[in-house]
Amino acid sequence: SYGELNFFVGRTYYSDPRKYKHGEFDKDIIFNDLLVDWTKPIIITEGPFDAMKAGTNSIPLQGNNILTDSLLFKRILFEGKPVYFALDIDAMKQQLKIIKKFQRYGSECMLIDLGGRKDPGDMSKEEFRKCYDGASRLGPSDLLRIAVRAGVKIGSIH
């Protein structure tokens, strides 16, 4: 948040069991905090390369979870802006759990349909922007409908 480097990540595109490489870091940081405009909606992605395609105001989780006691979760709640979710398609169950956490605290949650793409990193910025513009607002009852459509066991998101 003060412009000091506190994290880096690299990724291989070759076949390697270690797909990502990063330094030691405090896991309770807000990736890209310096560039986030907290007066506007936030886009949550899974990784930094997804966030680059998602564009302005996107924050990667560095995984597919967010804890309720994390700095990021608290900051999003404090600012009170809508939260757009664009996690990888294979993380739908986890994404629904995260959305439910935010809804419990009254956050407005939007789900970005990636149009069958694996993740935002597989899209152009223009393709992602179209998906963002078509995002749907989620009420608590919508989670059940989405879980059923995605083949997620209902009990697994509670």
Side-chain angles (χ1 to χ4, degrees), residues 22-146:
H22 53 75
E24 295 295 320
F25 65 98
D26 178 356
K27 293 194 186 304
D28 200 18
I29 62 170
I30 298 174
F31 193 98
N32 214 24
D33 189 14
L34 182 65
L35 303 176
V36 174
D37 180 350
W38 293 99
T39 66
K40 296 182 178 173
I42 302 300
I43 302 169
I44 300 294
T45 67
E46 203 165 317
F49 296 100
D50 298 327
M52 284 191 270
K53 291 290 180 82
T56 307
N57 265 23
S58 57
I59 302 171
L61 296 178
Q62 293 302 107
N64 64 9
N65 196 9
I66 182 170
L67 302 174
T68 54
D69 64 345
S70 70
L71 182 61
L72 176 59
F73 191 85
K74 291 174 186 175
R75 181 75 189 263
I76 290 171
L77 290 180
F78 177 78
E79 298 298 341
K81 299 300 175 205
V83 187
Y84 286 72
F85 292 90
L87 270 59
D88 295 7
I89 199 72
D90 63 352
M92 182 57 76
K93 179 171 109 176
Q94 195 61 29
Q95 184 167 235
L96 295 175
K97 285 181 178 182
I98 294 169
I99 290 168
K100 190 170 181 174
K101 286 180 193 179
F102 276 99
Q103 287 180 337
R104 277 190 206 124
Y105 289 92
S107 289
E108 180 180 350
C109 297
M110 308 288 286
L111 182 63
I112 298 173
D113 181 348
L114 300 178
R117 299 302 267 283
K118 180 182 171 283
D119 59 39
D122 286 345
M123 309 168 91
S124 69
K125 286 186 176 191
E126 294 77 25
E127 289 171 323
F128 182 83
R129 185 50 53 182
K130 286 180 185 174
C131 292
Y132 174 87
D133 291 341
S136 54
R137 185 173 192 274
L138 298 174
S141 62
D142 295 318
L143 293 180
L144 177 62
R145 179 180 44 81
I146 292 166

